[in-house]
Amino acid sequence: MPPDMTHSSFCNWIRYKHLVLIDTLARTRNMHATATRMNLSQPALSKMLRDLEEQFGFALFERLPRSMPPTELGEYVVRYAQGALAESQQFVDQVNRLRNGGHGFIRVGGIFAATALVLPQAIAAIKARSPLLSIEVVEHSSDHLLTMLEQNKLDIMIGRFTEERFGQLFDFQPLEPEPFSLVVNSEHPLNQLDNTPLEALGDWPWVLYPVGTPIRNRLEQAFRVAGIATPADCVETISMPMFLQLLQSAPMIAMLPRSMVAAQLASGQFKELRSPLQVPALEYGVVTRKDEPLSASARAFVEILLEGAQRRRQSSEDTAFCP
């Protein structure tokens, strides 16, 4: 077994073209395709890969007849390469923006409940202070956003942990709970019932989040607690516009974060069903990488998010105690 690498020796021989090779081969799993994308001959690429593996002291990729997937240790190296490349791209983008008179760049990921109200309000507030600040917003489920944060593809995310291991990687600052509503359109026959029995919920088609997403997992648990099967007649999507369009145009049912359908409920376009089926509210918050300082713009954005949550809590408490 070769001696362990040291940080100084690693920095001496690793090059960005090595990281590009690792990332590209991990995505294509094909030497010819990788060589074409990197504008190299296949023999030159093969030699570069052999040299890399010699330096690491283990194989990065398996040599199968039709594919070259990463080895178990190679997967770890691939994650490092992808994170380093994403961080370098962010650096280049931000330097260009600053050179051209910009005020920095923030990449923010948000779950659907946050992008309905919390995130737009915070963006409007920070843009009022820093009009030239560039902000990229990614809307997705927490599991997807956590992966992006781990790979340095986001600076901040608004969501929640989906696995215990993320508590070792990220800091979490709570914002507010995410209540859910069981909704249908205003013409749905179930609106005629004062209380919707559980057995009636299975008689109608549903719009559901895909299997494996955190919201779907929580809904599956709610079905189990209620003692009913997951509806077989369903459409699965992660698209909010698709949820809204299907609910508007068909007699379908969906369990959604209340903030996502607040406008439709207020206008009477959607109705909230009363039912024993309940998804408990869970708190979401600001998630950032541990022991990694945020930029000044990102810190200001986090402060705005936390201040906004505090104002909403205070307003809710004042309303609750209003005689």
Side-chain angles (χ1 to χ4, degrees):
M1 180 178 292
D4 290 345
M5 283 190 299
T6 65
H7 182 256
S8 60
S9 67
F10 175 75
C11 292
N12 283 336
W13 59 260
I14 197 71
R15 299 290 184 268
Y16 268 92
K17 65 182 179 181
H18 298 147
L19 303 181
V20 173
L21 185 160
I22 293 166
D23 173 52
T24 307
L25 187 54
R27 286 186 284 109
T28 66
R29 303 194 172 196
N30 181 279
M31 287 290 283
H32 177 72
T34 300
T36 300
R37 294 189 184 189
M38 295 184 65
N39 197 27
L40 293 171
S41 68
Q42 194 163 327
L45 188 72
S46 297
K47 182 180 185 306
M48 190 188 303
L49 179 60
R50 286 196 304 271
D51 291 344
L52 260 177
E53 291 180 325
E54 184 177 343
Q55 291 288 350
F56 277 109
F58 53 82
L60 298 174
F61 294 89
E62 297 182 43
R63 272 65 168 178
L64 302 181
R66 296 182 179 274
S67 180
M68 292 185 65
T71 62
E72 185 174 354
L73 284 172
E75 287 279 8
Y76 182 77
V77 179
V78 167
R79 286 196 296 271
Y80 167 78
Q82 291 174 340
L85 290 172
E87 190 170 351
S88 67
Q89 183 62 59
Q90 180 190 7
F91 170 77
V92 170
D93 291 343
Q94 185 150 338
V95 165
N96 286 332
R97 286 184 175 89
L98 292 171
R99 187 178 61 183
N100 294 323
H103 288 178
F105 176 53
I106 308 175
R107 297 172 301 177
V108 184
I111 60 174
F112 304 98
T115 55
L117 178 65
V118 172
L119 197 48
Q121 287 183 347
I123 290 172
I126 198 165
K127 291 291 283 183
R129 300 183 191 176
S130 305
L132 297 181
L133 175 66
S134 296
I135 302 175
E136 177 186 343
V137 178
V138 177
E139 183 182 51
H140 221 292
S141 56
S142 287
D143 53 343
H144 186 89
L145 296 176
L146 287 164
T147 299
M148 293 186 69
L149 189 66
E150 187 174 10
Q151 295 175 348
N152 288 313
K153 294 179 180 178
L154 295 174
D155 301 305
I156 303 163
M157 71 161 274
I158 306 173
R160 62 176 62 85
F161 294 157
T162 58
E163 299 176 28
E164 289 186 7
R165 73 179 184 90
F166 290 120
Q168 304 298 318
L169 300 174
F170 307 127
D171 289 322
F172 178 87
Q173 298 181 77
L175 288 175
E176 52 198 45
E178 179 186 47
F180 279 72
S181 293
L182 188 66
V183 295
V184 295
N185 66 39
S186 59
E187 303 299 320
H188 201 290
L190 289 179
N191 286 323
Q192 300 173 13
L193 304 177
D194 292 333
N195 288 283
T196 306
L198 291 171
E199 56 270 18
L201 296 177
D203 297 335
W204 299 93
W206 280 66
V207 195
L208 298 172
Y209 283 96
V211 173
T213 57
I215 292 180
R216 176 62 177 269
N217 292 341
R218 294 169 61 195
L219 187 54
E220 294 277 5
Q221 184 179 10
F223 285 135
R224 288 193 294 270
V225 170
I228 59 175
T230 301
D233 182 0
C234 68
V235 175
E236 295 186 0
T237 181
I238 205 164
S239 166
M240 185 56 189
M242 181 65 69
F243 264 105
L244 297 179
Q245 186 59 42
L246 288 172
L247 285 170
Q248 290 166 7
S249 59
M252 305 188 80
I253 306 173
M255 181 75 79
L256 293 169
R258 191 167 299 158
S259 59
M260 294 170 63
V261 290
Q264 290 81 2
L265 290 172
S267 68
Q269 187 177 9
F270 289 172
K271 299 292 184 182
E272 185 171 8
L273 298 179
R274 292 188 177 184
S275 168
L277 183 70
Q278 298 292 329
V279 173
L282 284 180
E283 196 160 43
Y284 63 88
V286 179
V287 184
T288 53
R289 288 183 289 275
K290 279 186 182 293
D291 304 322
E292 185 173 320
L294 295 172
S295 67
S297 298
R299 287 197 305 274
F301 191 69
V302 171
E303 290 172 3
I304 288 172
L305 286 165
L306 296 173
E307 290 168 359
Q310 185 176 2
R311 284 196 303 272
R312 285 187 293 274
R313 277 195 301 271
Q314 187 61 52
S315 177
S316 177
E317 292 171 0
D318 291 344
T319 302
F321 286 106
C322 184

